[in-house]
Amino acid sequence: MNSKILNSQFSILNSQLYHMSERLVVTGSQWGDEGKGKITDYFACRADMVVRYQGGNNAGHSVMFDGKKYSLQSIPSGIFNPKTVNVMANGMVVNPVSVIAELEKLHNQGITDYQLYISDRAAMVMPWHSMLDGASENLKGDAKIGTTKKGIGPAYTDKYSRLGLRMGDLLDPEYFAERLKAALEVKNMELKMYGLEPLDYQQVYDQYMEIAKILGPRICDTSLLIDDAIHSDAKILFEGAQGMMLCIDHGTYPYVTSSCPSAASISQGAGIAPKWIENVVGVAKAYCTRVGEGPFPTELFDETAHEIRERGHEYGTVTGRPRRIGWFDAVVARYTSRLAGIDYWALMLFDVLSGLDKVKICIGYELDGQEVMAPPSTIHKLAQCKPIYIEMEGWKEDITGCKSYDELPEAAKAYVRKIEELTGTKVGIISVGPDRSQTIMISESLKAF
Ligand code: IMP
């Protein structure tokens, strides 16, 4: 698609749609699966544009409204609002086969009217990526990362080794052919090394040229779209995937994903200047969960973990794996709040804690006989950290119908205030159930978005 034309058309659209200059970031602040889908969806209803800036179809966004559940993997959460422009930006790794499958599923659920654009500079997930992801996980044995096996790591690896193909290559068949041949020369050797069948050039070429026919019209320079939206006073929502403890730089390396979910990576991943990033909402569960391997200081192995898992339906959206459960970790929350400049917490699945006699919050770690207030850099040391807890009264009341902070039981309010005190960050949103309507908006400035 000619992005110049698209851009000017977009400008015309802008002048009719946009009302107020504001940008909002929704980023996961634990180990992913914090409920970002719901919060993003909440704001997406008001946003003119929703932008995904990292990750790929390793993410699982569940959105529930009007009694129906929708699952998204790589498509931005604004897809349900026909007026919202959805952007899959250059920082993502886009699996076009998965995008087409997601769109088909949405069509079957009645979602047929939407706007979706994909960056021509986004790295493309190719068939060998998931094969290599699975093979390298198998080879690692007990040391496996526990990846989603969607090929995310290998796709980012190819991007940085400059062997990758990009979505824009699909629009230029000759160039695509050249890049595919070059990549396959190396990748087929790697596949053979793992004892896997090499891929046939012609078959992959034909498959991707079919994909180009379907997705081609959606591929453009999305940084222009976003820039145009910024200068047209659009409301833009930047939607992070995964969580900051899975960040390639600041997470529990090597048990991390291959991108940076933080607000810090938006500028590069969306192709806009850092000065445009503002209003960061850190999404955090009222407890913690983690899928895959890696240290998890507040992990619980008792009946409480089972109770929380069942009540919170804590099973992976993408892989169906049971999630590991732990108490709220204020060390992690302080760390991610600092790194991403979180302005407000969205405290999710708060209703899941109802019914527990006591609730705990981790306020620090004990490491080598000393109290530490931030996660150490190595998982070796993190695994040795012993959580220091405070224990608070639980609450028995069902809070799923609460519409305001004031309606919450006193013990629940005390829990919220303690999180604010320990993290130095206000709780702006509380989620008390999966439906859109079960959302308590506390922050006036977030209400104004
Ligand atoms: P990958 O992103 O598939 O390479 O997986 C690397 C790690 O990130 C594994 O521990 C995954 O379980 C985890 N991970 C990736 N995406 C998500 C997500 O959306 N939610 C939670 N964990 C994730």
Side-chain angles (χ1 to χ4, degrees), residues 61-82:
H61 304 235
S62 298
V63 177
M64 204 162 153
F65 57 91
D66 300 337
K68 269 196 194 170
K69 191 173 177 184
Y70 303 86
S71 298
L72 298 175
Q73 269 99 57
S74 49
I75 291 178
S77 297
I79 203 75
F80 305 105
N81 183 351

Side-chain angles (χ1 to χ4, degrees), residues 31-33 58-60 145-149 242 246 256-257 291-292 321:
W31 282 273
D33 308 317
N58 49 347
I145 305 294
T147 74
T148 58
K149 299 194 181 172
Q242 290 87 43
L246 294 173
V256 291
T257 190
V291 285
R321 291 178 288 182

